[in-house]
Amino acid sequence: DAGVIQSPRHEVTEMGQEVTLRCKPISGHDYLFWYRQTMMRGLELLIYFNNNVPIDDSGMPEDRFSAKMPNASFSTLKIQPSEPRDSAVYFCASSLVHPEGPEAFFGQGTRLTVV
Amino acid sequence: AQKITQTQPGMFVQEKEAVTLDCTYDTSDPSYGLFWYKQPSSGEMIFLIYQGSYDQQNATEGRYSLNFQKARKSANLVISASQLGDSAMYFCAMREAPWDGGGADGLTFGKGTHLIIQP
């Protein structure tokens, strides 16, 4: 398997624009996570899905953030409108829930810069 | 409340020495997993090792071992014979999960320890 695939790797956008980040999880994994990493706040869990259903979105910072998982092989994280404070690295990760292998595997991340 | 605490923001270690990175956690759930990840300067998150709360023995993966002390709620990572390539950020994480098929949480991460291996 190719692992978790995120796109784009880098995104530079102007304040107020819509940004869409994409993620393809590892085939067969039933959990998908979106994390945000900043120097100030570390790694924050934004939202996660189980079998394509959002389970906990309490980490989504504002209504400007939304996430979808229309099928088992694709998820998006959208920011509309974007603001400079949204600049961060956004990671997607996927996992199983199994006592012998519940670790999450991360994509390469999307480095978002909002100017 | 902070669930994962890593008290060492940074560490300098001589090459070939053993390293212990500290991690304490807080949970009232009897079923959980503890994880360590490595993040080199290139930015990717690399899974290193996992310990389940019901595991009787400490987990080991090559040069990595997890010193699991359940009563103290600690899950320290030990790296034996450190190498220059071990220089990176190291994150401890926890996941509360009933392995019998119930719903699991996401992974909660600590703030990390920046490890620098010196030649």
Side-chain angles (χ1 to χ4, degrees):
Chain A
D1 201 317
V4 177
I5 300 173
Q6 291 186 245
S7 64
R9 292 291 309 278
H10 302 274
E11 177 81 37
V12 180
T13 191
E14 291 185 346
M15 182 174 62
Q17 296 297 305
E18 177 179 296
V19 176
T20 299
L21 311 182
R22 297 172 175 79
C23 175
K24 176 179 167 54
I26 293 172
S27 177
H29 281 190
D30 53 0
Y31 277 80
L32 183 139
F33 311 91
W34 283 100
Y35 284 89
R36 179 173 69 176
Q37 185 177 32
T38 60
M39 288 294 292
M40 291 296 295
R41 301 177 70 89
L43 276 157
E44 302 173 275
L45 177 62
L46 300 177
I47 185 171
Y48 71 95
F49 297 82
N50 178 213
N51 292 322
N52 313 338
V53 176
I55 302 300
D56 185 353
D57 65 355
S58 60
M60 298 284 259
E62 299 172 35
D63 291 345
R64 298 183 296 105
F65 286 70
S66 63
K68 294 181 179 180
M69 192 165 186
N71 57 61
S73 59
F74 184 65
S75 177
T76 60
L77 178 69
K78 185 177 294 186
I79 309 172
Q80 165 64 14
S82 58
E83 297 183 4
R85 59 191 167 131
D86 302 331
S87 297
V89 178
Y90 291 82
F91 285 104
C92 174
S94 70
S95 82
L96 296 167
V97 173
H98 187 281
E100 295 180 4
E103 62 269 23
F105 294 91
F106 282 71
Q108 295 283 67
T110 295
R111 182 173 295 277
L112 174 65
T113 303
V114 183
V115 297
Chain B
Q2 190 171 0
K3 288 191 171 183
I4 297 288
T5 303
Q6 295 181 253
T7 57
Q8 307 151 310
M11 286 184 72
F12 288 86
V13 174
Q14 287 296 120
E15 189 180 9
K16 299 180 184 176
E17 290 184 351
V19 182
T20 298
L21 304 181
D22 295 339
C23 174
T24 57
Y25 61 93
D26 183 30
T27 181
S28 57
D29 197 316
S31 181
Y32 53 90
L34 297 158
F35 309 82
W36 279 91
Y37 285 82
K38 173 183 179 181
Q39 187 176 41
S41 57
S42 52
E44 68 267 36
M45 292 289 287
I46 302 168
F47 165 71
L48 295 178
I49 195 167
Y50 157 71
Q51 178 87 40
S53 59
Y54 294 121
D55 293 343
Q56 296 297 312
Q57 293 188 328
N58 288 342
T60 60
E61 288 287 348
R63 294 186 299 112
Y64 303 108
S65 61
L66 200 153
N67 184 0
F68 181 45
Q69 297 187 43
K70 195 170 184 177
R72 296 179 61 185
K73 293 188 175 179
S74 76
N76 298 341
L77 177 70
V78 180
I79 306 174
S80 63
S82 58
Q83 302 171 356
L84 296 178
D86 294 331
S87 295
M89 283 291 292
Y90 288 81
F91 293 95
C92 179
M94 178 177 66
R95 185 177 192 186
E96 293 159 339
W99 307 126
D100 61 1
D105 292 345
L107 278 76
T108 300
F109 284 84
K111 297 294 187 186
T113 295
H114 189 191
L115 175 65
I116 297 174
I117 307 298
Q118 297 176 312

